[in-house]
Amino acid sequence: MPARNSTPSLLPTAKVSRRGADRLRQGHVWVYRSDVVSADGIAPGVAIRVADERGKFLGTALYSSASQIAIRLISRDLVENLEQLLRQRIAEAISYRDRVVHHADARHTDAYRVIFSEGDFLPGLIVDRYNDICSLQILTQAMDAEPVRQTIIAELMERLHPASIAERVDARVRELEQLPPRASGLIQGDKSSTVFSMNGIRFCFEAMEGQKTGAFLDQRENYAAAAECARGEALDMFCYQGGFALHLAERCSKVTGVDSSRPALEMADRNAVLNGREIEWIEANAFDLLRDYASAGQQYDAIVLDPPAFAKSRHNLDTALRGYKELNLRALKMLRPGGVLVTCSCSYHVALAEFLEIVGEAARDVHRNLRILETRTQAKDHPIVLGIPETSYLKCIISIVSN
Ligand code: SAH
């Protein structure tokens, strides 16, 4: 059998330093620009062979001429036909969802992440499905190349038969990748709104509105887990369009959702009506409201904390940890004995151990005991790949409070 690196190839070769090569050999798929030794004349966004400094073949990758992540490995083999590989990867991603979403869910779910970038070995590509509308995000030069786009769209149309495909453009990402500006919009079909389901609960969807691609699909399994433990009076902090609140309303006698975004709350209210639920929505800054409620002696039986990522980078880690501590401390003060705290962090830079430590400190400060019922993470349609720590970001701790 010929050695892998002896196969003649049409692809240009980039050489990476020892550190870059070691990183790839350990299972990661990124090489930073500082670890690229030579990439002379390689065009933006093309497929390349990656080799170590001695020329030993390491895999096939997608190249970015602009990003700090210069190289994203797509295969440890030599891939001459990129489009064929993309089609195969998309098919695999879809059949993985058949296993972990459709077959695993007792209750109807037609909204989930179909393609999770590195988590599906398709770096730079995110596709979410909201019933009959797909929402697509392209994050790299390679995925933005016209033939690649066409392959992705054709494959999604053929396999999922959506009524339409919307593209959500992140202007900052395009700038960082030195890609020409592009507007968000429908790229297939003309349907821009629909109703989707998660765990049997229905949500309105507007393809061109909302944060992320529309909903926080990564919390789907945590919604169900939270609803299972909660009872009595519940407070959903950072409720957005009501994901947790609507699930809690199935079990709890009274539910209040709080968010600082009015458009999010308007959508949350439409969702409540759609499900025949009465939920109180409050537009407020969560920190202020928790402080006021805690000092007024307000009590709850269940509190959800799902703030935005406080630590966007390592640099503001300390501030982020202080933010998490304050929120958890105030929430713990307001929980009745036997009450349930569902506390989340979607900051990749805050590790689970660190998050547990902060929640524990908050509990000690207010003299409450916490028993952990579940330590959870993102839903399985956002797969975590061992060796690529960046694929794991969401923490959700469900615990019971006692005095
Ligand atoms: N729990 C939601 C997702 C929350 S995302 C779900 O499952 O769908 C974070 C939310 O926090 C966003 O809706 C954002 O509008 C809101 N937010 C950000 N800063 C806030 C603040 N200081 N006070 C209240 N809400 C805030």
Side-chain angles (χ1 to χ4, degrees), residues 211 216 219 223 236-244 258-261 264 284-287 306-308:
Q211 305 172 20
F216 291 83
Q219 291 282 25
Y223 295 152
D236 176 8
M237 297 301 296
F238 307 92
C239 65
Y240 185 55
Q241 298 177 352
F244 278 104
V258 177
D259 202 282
S260 58
S261 157
N285 179 314
F287 286 90
D306 184 19

Side-chain angles (χ1 to χ4, degrees), residues 32-53:
Y32 292 102
R33 185 153 312 280
S34 52
D35 288 322
V36 176
V37 175
S38 72
D40 300 337
I42 299 183
V46 298
I48 57 169
R49 288 160 48 99
V50 185
D52 67 12
E53 275 179 284

